Amino acid sequence: MRNLFRGEPEVKSAYDFSGSFTDMWRDMRVSMVIPPLTVAICICVTMSIMMFIERVYMTVVLLLVKFTGKKKYTQYKLEALKEDLEQNRRYPMVLVQIPMFNEKEVYKLSIGSVCSLTWPSDRLVVQVLDDSTNDVLRTLVEMECKKWIQRGVNVKYETRNNRNGYKAGALREGLTKDYVLDCEFVVIFDADFQPDKDFLWRTVPYLLENPELALVQARWKFVNADECIMTRLQEMSLAYHFTVEQEVGSSTCQFFGFNGTAGVWRIKAIEDAGGWKDRTTVEDMDLAVRASLKGWKFVFVGDLDVKNELPSTFKAYRYQQHRWSCGPANLLRKMTKEIIFCERVSVWKKFHVIYAFFLVRKIIAHWVTFFFYCVIIPISIMVPEVHLPKPIAIYIPATITLLNSSCTLRSMHLLVLWILFENVMSFHRSKATIIGLLGANRVNEWVVTEKLGNATKQKSNVRPPKRSRPRLFERLLFSELLMGLFLLYVACYDIIFGKDHMFIYLLLQATAFFVVGVGYVGITVPN
């Protein structure tokens, strides 16, 4: 059968339609399929090499920083700074903002954790920014705030009649209050974050020591990482982000993307950078880039964890990943010129921000994962005339995968599942980055990530309603199902005609798309 496409044309009778069709397909493939496919492979190979070099570079930097003991935050004498602060008793005024929107399951956890922070009560202001549209929930949140006010905590409950600017709008408006004028630093915690009591003592001293420091960022610790397979896989991805990307950015350029929460900002730096803007769905990254272009420096404290919650339903995770992928691409589109012509930072830092931070990590990483491994490679299997370099198709992605997953050794046995799931998610991320670059529909879509808090544990002993799962048709994701059918077809083709056993990978990947396509990932919350 393979010789149908490679052998010499035979003499056919005038009525041999099968031979004519074979010749027509062969000619069409040579003239219309092979040239664009070859170009696409060259582009994907280039992007793979770029991503490989970036991953190896970050690994080398991280190892050097680790073995030389020169992590940026360890260069500060934190204990001495804390002792000096206690002796002088010149505590700075700190504002803690908790933005929330219909956070029924977690508002008590976040407010309680923040109000329990060990810091002089007369030097701490807790600001609850409640944009909830549920009047009953607003009442409950306000009652929770009053409970802590009675305990001596300075809690300010602030609401708005609109959601203009979403989270950025709430944070921006919160900073305009009269009682904020005396505050020097602002801490931001999303509604599902639960800081330890000594959080301020382990972050604020850095800012007091270095007046050029704008941001101190802590890492995240996930309280529900073991809830299901999907949360374990998310933990693997985010562990690399915090362990490698944030640490390398902090140690080399003293720049990284603010994670939007679990960070302490110098209010002066926020004002100098132009304040909070809602022009993209990643207002945190937007502020970080603008502050960096003003010459401000950041430090990532890798040994300080703040507990929070991972999305445990696939619907919530998809919305979150759309925002996290679309926003950076849209921000790059809007800020490239500003970054290039900025005169306050070095050429190296400009290159780092545009090439490494945005292009490779936020765009190319998604495109390579989807277009190369889920589209181009499968198509090339059906076009044997096109040569696909095995080192690029196998060894480089294998190396990148091992480097990415090495930060979560406890989940190494899930490595294959993680690869397959990340490839499925790269479909959504790639689409989101294209939307962001083009400024198309959904570019400013903002859906708050659903949090469950202790809801699933609290309801475990409660008898579920009759229909605890959505109907099958409501769970179906047709784009994933179509991708699964495409990969299944290519796998069958490779079983019949192929010689390199790529059908093993194709069958596994097709299965992953089917599983996601019918909604059997994450947990199911009773309606």
Side-chain angles (χ1 to χ4, degrees):
M1 296 294 292
R2 184 185 296 273
N3 292 332
L4 288 175
F5 302 98
R6 290 182 171 178
E8 295 296 327
E10 300 177 4
V11 178
K12 305 289 181 180
S13 64
Y15 302 99
D16 192 351
F17 293 106
S18 62
S20 300
F21 176 78
T22 301
D23 293 339
M24 182 176 64
W25 163 240
R26 181 186 59 195
D27 295 339
M28 184 174 64
R29 187 168 64 182
V30 171
S31 60
M32 299 179 63
V33 177
I34 294 178
L37 181 60
T38 303
V39 172
I41 289 177
C42 291
I43 294 174
C44 288
V45 166
T46 302
M47 292 194 297
S48 292
I49 294 174
M50 291 169 63
M51 191 166 69
F52 174 75
I53 293 174
E54 172 67 10
R55 292 293 190 269
V56 172
Y57 160 75
M58 288 195 293
T59 302
V60 171
V61 171
L62 183 68
L63 292 176
L64 290 174
V65 167
K66 183 177 181 179
F67 289 119
T68 58
K70 292 185 177 180
K71 291 183 179 181
K72 185 58 63 174
Y73 68 94
T74 60
Q75 298 177 16
Y76 294 84
K77 305 301 181 181
L78 182 61
E79 293 302 323
L81 294 173
K82 290 166 64 176
E83 290 180 6
D84 182 67
L85 183 60
E86 289 179 337
Q87 290 176 0
N88 296 328
R89 303 189 67 81
R90 295 179 180 176
Y91 304 104
M93 196 74 174
V94 178
L95 171 71
V96 183
Q97 293 183 311
I98 312 176
M100 57 177 59
F101 175 73
N102 293 337
E103 308 287 0
K104 178 182 178 181
E105 305 293 350
V106 295
Y107 74 91
K108 285 188 178 182
L109 296 175
S110 59
I111 295 175
S113 297
V114 169
C115 290
S116 300
L117 291 172
T118 55
W119 196 258
S121 58
D122 61 329
R123 309 302 292 170
L124 178 67
V125 180
V126 176
Q127 189 182 65
V128 178
L129 304 169
D130 190 8
D131 278 356
S132 299
T133 55
N134 187 316
D135 292 335
V136 175
L137 183 56
R138 278 196 176 191
T139 302
L140 293 175
V141 175
E142 186 175 10
M143 290 175 59
E144 183 70 14
C145 293
K146 289 180 179 179
K147 181 182 76 173
W148 285 100
I149 291 174
Q150 293 173 357
R151 297 182 182 182
V153 182
N154 187 6
V155 181
K156 304 292 185 181
Y157 178 68
E158 304 289 353
T159 61
R160 299 191 298 168
N161 296 324
N162 56 69
R163 289 195 68 209
N164 293 341
Y166 301 107
K167 179 181 175 181
L171 295 173
R172 180 175 59 235
E173 188 168 321
L175 290 178
T176 63
K177 304 301 179 181
D178 293 338
Y179 54 83
V180 177
L181 296 176
D182 297 329
C183 296
E184 189 175 350
F185 307 116
V186 57
V187 192
I188 301 167
F189 291 113
D190 283 349
D192 59 316
F193 276 71
Q194 306 163 47
D196 292 335
K197 293 182 178 181
D198 62 346
F199 178 87
L200 295 179
W201 286 102
R202 298 178 64 183
T203 52
V204 172
Y206 293 108
L207 294 158
L208 295 175
E209 172 69 11
N210 185 358
E212 296 181 348
L213 199 62
L215 168 67
V216 177
Q217 173 73 61
R219 67 179 296 155
W220 300 355
K221 179 181 180 181
F222 310 109
V223 297
N224 65 333
D226 295 323
E227 188 166 19
C228 61
I229 293 294
M230 191 183 78
T231 53
R232 286 289 292 271
L233 301 182
Q234 290 179 65
E235 182 191 36
M236 294 178 70
S237 300
L238 289 171
Y240 179 83
H241 168 69
F242 285 106
T243 305
V244 180
E245 293 180 348
Q246 299 293 74
E247 191 66 70
V248 170
S250 177
S251 300
T252 55
C253 296
Q254 298 188 62
F255 165 78
F256 47 82
F258 174 44
N259 294 120
T261 179
V264 186
W265 275 92
R266 190 185 301 273
I267 294 180
K268 181 181 177 181
I270 295 178
E271 295 171 348
D272 186 40
W276 291 101
K277 295 184 179 181
D278 54 7
R279 55 182 176 175
T280 69
T281 57
V282 283
E283 72 294 324
D284 44 12
M285 187 181 296
D286 188 354
L287 177 61
V289 174
R290 286 184 282 113
S292 179
L293 295 180
K294 290 289 185 178
W296 292 97
K297 298 177 181 179
F298 308 158
V299 66
F300 173 71
V301 184
D303 63 352
L304 177 57
D305 299 329
V306 180
K307 293 182 291 186
N308 72 300
E309 180 183 332
L310 289 164
S312 50
T313 65
F314 186 64
K315 180 180 180 180
Y317 186 55
R318 279 184 67 188
Y319 280 126
Q320 181 201 71
Q321 292 303 296
H322 173 85
R323 188 172 76 248
W324 286 7
S325 302
C326 180
N330 191 237
L331 183 61
L332 174 63
R333 175 190 179 191
K334 294 180 176 180
M335 289 202 68
T336 300
K337 186 177 180 180
E338 182 179 346
I339 296 171
I340 293 175
F341 291 102
C342 178
E343 298 180 353
R344 297 191 61 174
V345 298
S346 64
V347 175
W348 161 245
K349 195 166 189 177
K350 295 178 187 178
F351 175 79
H352 172 78
V353 173
I354 293 178
Y355 174 80
F357 180 75
F358 276 114
L359 187 61
V360 177
R361 300 179 198 172
K362 309 299 182 184
I363 297 176
I364 285 179
H366 304 323
W367 288 1
V368 167
T369 307
F370 175 68
F371 290 113
F372 194 28
Y373 306 134
C374 297
V375 178
I376 301 302
I377 290 179
I379 291 177
S380 66
I381 291 174
M382 297 189 295
V383 185
E385 294 89 346
V386 175
H387 174 66
L388 185 64
K390 285 190 176 181
I392 302 295
I394 299 177
Y395 304 132
I396 283 184
T399 304
I400 293 174
T401 300
L402 292 175
L403 292 177
N404 286 3
S405 60
S406 61
C407 300
T408 320
L409 295 178
R410 80 184 191 99
S411 299
M412 286 297 288
H413 62 289
L414 300 174
L415 184 60
V416 173
L417 291 179
W418 179 71
I419 295 171
L420 299 175
F421 183 68
E422 283 294 294
N423 287 351
V424 174
M425 289 308 303
S426 69
F427 170 61
H428 298 286
R429 293 169 183 151
S430 298
K431 181 172 62 175
T433 56
I434 293 173
I435 291 173
L437 289 173
L438 298 178
N441 292 333
R442 293 188 66 196
V443 68
N444 291 319
E445 179 184 73
W446 181 280
V447 179
V448 175
T449 303
E450 180 185 16
K451 294 110 181 170
L452 301 179
N454 295 324
T456 54
K457 297 178 182 178
Q458 294 170 352
K459 297 175 182 177
S460 60
N461 296 324
V462 180
R463 185 177 180 181
K466 294 181 179 180
R467 185 167 65 92
S468 61
R469 287 180 176 271
R471 298 172 184 172
L472 177 61
F473 184 80
E474 295 174 351
R475 297 202 316 263
L476 292 181
L477 301 173
F478 292 101
S479 55
E480 280 85 349
L481 293 176
L482 289 175
M483 280 299 305
L485 289 173
F486 164 70
L487 293 172
L488 179 61
Y489 171 80
V490 179
C492 295
Y493 181 94
D494 191 55
I495 291 173
I496 299 173
F497 301 106
K499 295 181 179 179
D500 50 12
H501 305 291
M502 285 293 289
F503 66 87
I504 299 175
Y505 157 72
L506 294 170
L507 288 175
L508 290 173
Q509 192 62 68
T511 302
F513 272 101
F514 284 135
V515 170
V516 174
V518 296
Y520 282 100
V521 288
I523 67 170
T524 301
V525 180
N527 293 330

